[in-house]
CSV table of all heavy atoms in Angstrom, one decimal:
chain,number,residue,atom,x,y,z
A,147,ASP,N,29.8,-0.5,-17.6
A,147,ASP,CA,29.7,-2.0,-17.5
A,147,ASP,C,28.5,-2.5,-16.8
A,147,ASP,O,28.3,-3.7,-16.6
A,147,ASP,CB,30.9,-2.5,-16.7
A,147,ASP,CG,31.1,-2.0,-15.4
A,147,ASP,OD1,30.4,-1.0,-15.1
A,147,ASP,OD2,31.8,-2.5,-14.6
A,148,ILE,N,27.6,-1.6,-16.4
A,148,ILE,CA,26.3,-2.0,-15.7
A,148,ILE,C,25.2,-2.1,-16.6
A,148,ILE,O,24.9,-1.2,-17.3
A,148,ILE,CB,26.0,-0.9,-14.5
A,148,ILE,CG1,27.1,-1.0,-13.5
A,148,ILE,CG2,24.6,-1.1,-13.9
A,148,ILE,CD1,27.3,-2.3,-12.7
A,149,ASP,N,24.5,-3.3,-16.5
A,149,ASP,CA,23.2,-3.5,-17.2
A,149,ASP,C,21.9,-3.1,-16.6
A,149,ASP,O,21.0,-2.7,-17.3
A,149,ASP,CB,23.1,-5.0,-17.6
A,149,ASP,CG,24.4,-5.6,-18.2
A,149,ASP,OD1,24.7,-5.1,-19.4
A,149,ASP,OD2,25.0,-6.5,-17.6
A,150,ILE,N,21.9,-3.4,-15.2
A,150,ILE,CA,20.6,-3.1,-14.4
A,150,ILE,C,21.0,-2.4,-13.3
A,150,ILE,O,22.0,-2.8,-12.6
A,150,ILE,CB,19.9,-4.5,-14.2
A,150,ILE,CG1,19.6,-5.4,-15.3
A,150,ILE,CG2,18.6,-4.1,-13.4
A,150,ILE,CD1,19.1,-6.7,-14.9
A,151,VAL,N,20.3,-1.3,-13.0
A,151,VAL,CA,20.5,-0.6,-11.7
A,151,VAL,C,19.2,-0.9,-10.8
A,151,VAL,O,18.1,-0.9,-11.2
A,151,VAL,CB,20.5,1.0,-12.1
A,151,VAL,CG1,20.5,1.8,-10.7
A,151,VAL,CG2,21.7,1.4,-12.9
A,152,ILE,N,19.7,-1.2,-9.6
A,152,ILE,CA,18.6,-1.4,-8.6
A,152,ILE,C,18.6,-0.2,-7.7
A,152,ILE,O,19.7,0.1,-7.0
A,152,ILE,CB,18.9,-2.6,-7.6
A,152,ILE,CG1,19.3,-3.9,-8.5
A,152,ILE,CG2,17.7,-3.0,-6.8
A,152,ILE,CD1,19.6,-5.1,-7.6
A,153,GLU,N,17.5,0.5,-7.6
A,153,GLU,CA,17.5,1.7,-6.7
A,153,GLU,C,16.7,1.3,-5.5
A,153,GLU,O,15.6,0.9,-5.4
A,153,GLU,CB,16.6,2.8,-7.5
A,153,GLU,CG,16.5,4.1,-6.7
A,153,GLU,CD,15.4,4.1,-5.6
A,153,GLU,OE1,14.2,3.8,-5.9
A,153,GLU,OE2,15.8,4.3,-4.3
A,154,LEU,N,17.5,1.3,-4.4
A,154,LEU,CA,16.9,1.0,-2.9
A,154,LEU,C,17.4,2.0,-1.9
A,154,LEU,O,17.7,1.7,-0.8
A,154,LEU,CB,17.3,-0.4,-2.6
A,154,LEU,CG,16.9,-1.6,-3.4
A,154,LEU,CD1,17.4,-2.9,-3.0
A,154,LEU,CD2,15.3,-1.6,-3.3
A,155,ILE,N,17.4,3.2,-2.5
A,155,ILE,CA,17.7,4.4,-1.5
A,155,ILE,C,16.5,4.9,-0.9
A,155,ILE,O,16.4,5.3,0.2
A,155,ILE,CB,18.4,5.5,-2.4
A,155,ILE,CG1,19.8,5.1,-2.8
A,155,ILE,CG2,18.4,6.9,-1.6
A,155,ILE,CD1,20.5,6.1,-3.6
A,156,GLY,N,15.4,4.9,-1.7
A,156,GLY,CA,14.1,5.5,-1.1
A,156,GLY,C,13.9,7.0,-1.4
A,156,GLY,O,14.8,7.7,-1.7
A,157,GLY,N,12.6,7.4,-1.2
A,157,GLY,CA,12.3,8.8,-1.4
A,157,GLY,C,12.1,9.2,-2.7
A,157,GLY,O,12.3,8.5,-3.7
A,158,THR,N,11.8,10.5,-2.9
A,158,THR,CA,11.4,11.0,-4.3
A,158,THR,C,12.5,12.1,-4.7
A,158,THR,O,12.2,12.7,-5.7
A,158,THR,CB,10.0,11.6,-4.3
A,158,THR,OG1,9.9,12.5,-3.3
A,158,THR,CG2,9.0,10.5,-4.1
A,159,GLY,N,13.5,12.3,-3.9
A,159,GLY,CA,14.5,13.3,-4.3
A,159,GLY,C,15.5,12.6,-5.2
A,159,GLY,O,15.4,12.5,-6.5
A,160,ILE,N,16.8,12.4,-4.7
A,160,ILE,CA,17.9,11.9,-5.4
A,160,ILE,C,17.4,10.6,-6.2
A,160,ILE,O,17.9,10.3,-7.3
A,160,ILE,CB,19.2,11.8,-4.6
A,160,ILE,CG1,20.3,11.5,-5.5
A,160,ILE,CG2,19.1,10.7,-3.5
A,160,ILE,CD1,21.7,11.7,-4.9
A,161,ALA,N,16.6,9.8,-5.5
A,161,ALA,CA,16.3,8.5,-6.2
A,161,ALA,C,15.6,8.8,-7.5
A,161,ALA,O,15.9,8.0,-8.5
A,161,ALA,CB,15.2,7.7,-5.3
A,162,ARG,N,14.8,9.8,-7.6
A,162,ARG,CA,14.1,10.1,-9.0
A,162,ARG,C,15.2,10.4,-9.9
A,162,ARG,O,15.2,9.9,-11.1
A,162,ARG,CB,13.2,11.2,-8.7
A,162,ARG,CG,12.5,11.5,-10.1
A,162,ARG,CD,11.8,13.0,-10.0
A,162,ARG,NE,12.7,13.9,-9.6
A,162,ARG,CZ,12.4,15.2,-9.5
A,162,ARG,NH1,11.2,15.6,-9.5
A,162,ARG,NH2,13.4,16.2,-9.2
A,163,ASP,N,16.1,11.3,-9.5
A,163,ASP,CA,17.1,11.7,-10.5
A,163,ASP,C,18.0,10.6,-11.0
A,163,ASP,O,18.4,10.5,-12.1
A,163,ASP,CB,18.0,12.9,-9.9
A,163,ASP,CG,17.1,14.0,-9.5
A,163,ASP,OD1,16.0,14.2,-10.1
A,163,ASP,OD2,17.5,14.9,-8.7
A,164,LEU,N,18.4,9.7,-10.0
A,164,LEU,CA,19.3,8.6,-10.3
A,164,LEU,C,18.5,7.6,-11.3
A,164,LEU,O,19.1,7.1,-12.2
A,164,LEU,CB,19.6,7.9,-9.1
A,164,LEU,CG,20.6,8.6,-8.2
A,164,LEU,CD1,20.8,8.0,-6.8
A,164,LEU,CD2,22.1,8.6,-8.9
A,165,VAL,N,17.3,7.4,-11.1
A,165,VAL,CA,16.5,6.4,-11.8
A,165,VAL,C,16.4,7.0,-13.3
A,165,VAL,O,16.6,6.4,-14.3
A,165,VAL,CB,15.1,6.1,-11.3
A,165,VAL,CG1,14.2,5.6,-12.3
A,165,VAL,CG2,15.3,5.3,-10.1
A,166,LEU,N,16.1,8.3,-13.3
A,166,LEU,CA,16.0,9.0,-14.7
A,166,LEU,C,17.3,8.9,-15.4
A,166,LEU,O,17.4,8.7,-16.6
A,166,LEU,CB,15.4,10.4,-14.6
A,166,LEU,CG,13.9,10.4,-14.3
A,166,LEU,CD1,13.5,11.9,-13.9
A,166,LEU,CD2,13.1,9.8,-15.4
A,167,GLU,N,18.4,9.1,-14.8
A,167,GLU,CA,19.7,9.1,-15.3
A,167,GLU,C,20.1,7.7,-15.8
A,167,GLU,O,20.5,7.5,-16.8
A,167,GLU,CB,20.8,9.6,-14.4
A,167,GLU,CG,22.1,9.7,-14.9
A,167,GLU,CD,22.4,10.5,-16.0
A,167,GLU,OE1,21.5,11.4,-16.4
A,167,GLU,OE2,23.5,10.4,-16.8
A,168,ALA,N,19.8,6.8,-15.0
A,168,ALA,CA,19.9,5.3,-15.3
A,168,ALA,C,19.2,5.0,-16.7
A,168,ALA,O,19.8,4.4,-17.5
A,168,ALA,CB,19.6,4.4,-14.2
A,169,ILE,N,18.0,5.4,-16.8
A,169,ILE,CA,17.2,5.2,-17.9
A,169,ILE,C,17.9,5.9,-19.1
A,169,ILE,O,18.1,5.4,-20.2
A,169,ILE,CB,15.8,5.7,-17.7
A,169,ILE,CG1,15.1,4.8,-16.8
A,169,ILE,CG2,15.0,5.7,-19.1
A,169,ILE,CD1,13.7,5.3,-16.2
A,170,ALA,N,18.3,7.2,-19.0
A,170,ALA,CA,18.8,8.0,-20.0
A,170,ALA,C,20.3,7.3,-20.5
A,170,ALA,O,20.6,7.4,-21.6
A,170,ALA,CB,19.2,9.4,-19.4
A,171,GLN,N,20.9,6.6,-19.6
A,171,GLN,CA,22.1,5.8,-19.9
A,171,GLN,C,21.8,4.5,-20.6
A,171,GLN,O,22.7,3.7,-20.8
A,171,GLN,CB,22.9,5.6,-18.6
A,171,GLN,CG,23.4,6.8,-17.9
A,171,GLN,CD,24.6,7.4,-18.7
A,171,GLN,OE1,25.5,6.6,-19.2
A,171,GLN,NE2,24.8,8.7,-18.5
A,172,GLY,N,20.5,4.2,-20.7
A,172,GLY,CA,20.1,3.0,-21.5
A,172,GLY,C,20.1,1.7,-20.5
A,172,GLY,O,20.2,0.6,-21.0
A,173,LYS,N,20.1,2.1,-19.3
A,173,LYS,CA,20.0,0.8,-18.3
A,173,LYS,C,18.7,0.5,-17.9
A,173,LYS,O,17.8,1.4,-17.7
A,173,LYS,CB,20.9,1.2,-17.0
A,173,LYS,CG,22.4,1.6,-17.4
A,173,LYS,CD,23.2,1.8,-16.3
A,173,LYS,CE,24.5,2.4,-16.7
A,173,LYS,NZ,25.3,1.8,-17.8
A,174,HIS,N,18.4,-0.8,-17.6
A,174,HIS,CA,17.2,-1.2,-17.0
A,174,HIS,C,17.2,-0.9,-15.5
A,174,HIS,O,18.2,-0.9,-14.9
A,174,HIS,CB,17.0,-2.7,-17.2
A,174,HIS,CG,17.0,-3.0,-18.6
A,174,HIS,ND1,16.0,-3.0,-19.5
A,174,HIS,CD2,18.1,-3.5,-19.4
A,174,HIS,CE1,16.4,-3.4,-20.7
A,174,HIS,NE2,17.6,-3.7,-20.7
A,175,VAL,N,16.1,-0.7,-14.9
A,175,VAL,CA,15.9,-0.3,-13.5
A,175,VAL,C,15.0,-1.4,-12.7
A,175,VAL,O,14.0,-1.7,-13.3
A,175,VAL,CB,15.4,1.1,-13.4
A,175,VAL,CG1,15.1,1.5,-12.0
A,175,VAL,CG2,16.4,2.1,-14.1
A,176,VAL,N,15.4,-1.6,-11.6
A,176,VAL,CA,14.7,-2.5,-10.6
A,176,VAL,C,14.5,-1.5,-9.3
A,176,VAL,O,15.5,-1.0,-8.9
A,176,VAL,CB,15.2,-3.8,-10.3
A,176,VAL,CG1,14.4,-4.4,-9.1
A,176,VAL,CG2,15.2,-4.6,-11.4
A,177,THR,N,13.2,-1.3,-8.8
A,177,THR,CA,13.1,-0.5,-7.6
A,177,THR,C,12.0,-1.0,-6.8
A,177,THR,O,11.1,-1.6,-7.2
A,177,THR,CB,12.8,1.0,-7.9
A,177,THR,OG1,12.7,1.7,-6.9
A,177,THR,CG2,11.5,1.1,-8.9
A,178,ALA,N,12.1,-0.7,-5.5
A,178,ALA,CA,11.1,-1.1,-4.5
A,178,ALA,C,10.3,0.2,-4.1
A,178,ALA,O,9.6,0.2,-3.1
A,178,ALA,CB,11.8,-1.7,-3.3
A,179,ASN,N,10.7,1.3,-4.7
A,179,ASN,CA,10.3,2.6,-4.3
A,179,ASN,C,8.8,3.0,-4.8
A,179,ASN,O,8.7,3.7,-5.7
A,179,ASN,CB,11.4,3.7,-4.7
A,179,ASN,CG,11.3,4.9,-4.1
A,179,ASN,OD1,10.2,5.5,-3.6
A,179,ASN,ND2,12.3,5.7,-4.0
A,180,LYS,N,7.9,2.8,-3.8
A,180,LYS,CA,6.5,3.1,-4.3
A,180,LYS,C,6.1,4.5,-4.2
A,180,LYS,O,5.4,5.0,-5.0
A,180,LYS,CB,5.5,2.2,-3.3
A,180,LYS,CG,5.8,2.5,-1.9
A,180,LYS,CD,6.6,1.4,-1.3
A,180,LYS,CE,7.1,1.9,0.1
A,180,LYS,NZ,7.4,0.7,0.9
A,181,ALA,N,7.0,5.3,-3.3
A,181,ALA,CA,6.6,6.7,-3.3
A,181,ALA,C,7.1,7.3,-4.6
A,181,ALA,O,6.3,8.2,-5.2
A,181,ALA,CB,7.4,7.3,-2.1
A,182,LEU,N,8.2,6.8,-5.1
A,182,LEU,CA,8.7,7.4,-6.4
A,182,LEU,C,7.8,7.0,-7.5
A,182,LEU,O,7.5,7.9,-8.3
A,182,LEU,CB,10.1,6.7,-6.6
A,182,LEU,CG,10.7,7.1,-7.8
A,182,LEU,CD1,11.2,8.6,-7.9
A,182,LEU,CD2,12.0,6.3,-8.1
Side-chain angles (χ1 to χ4, degrees):
D147 60 344
I148 293 298
D149 305 299
I150 305 175
V151 168
I152 313 180
E153 183 280 304
L154 295 174
I155 288 175
T158 54
I160 189 164
R162 180 194 60 183
D163 299 340
L164 288 165
V165 163
L166 288 169
E167 178 63 13
I169 292 168
Q171 296 281 330
K173 300 186 192 313
H174 303 280
V175 172
V176 172
T177 180
N179 192 336
K180 53 270 166 155
L182 177 65

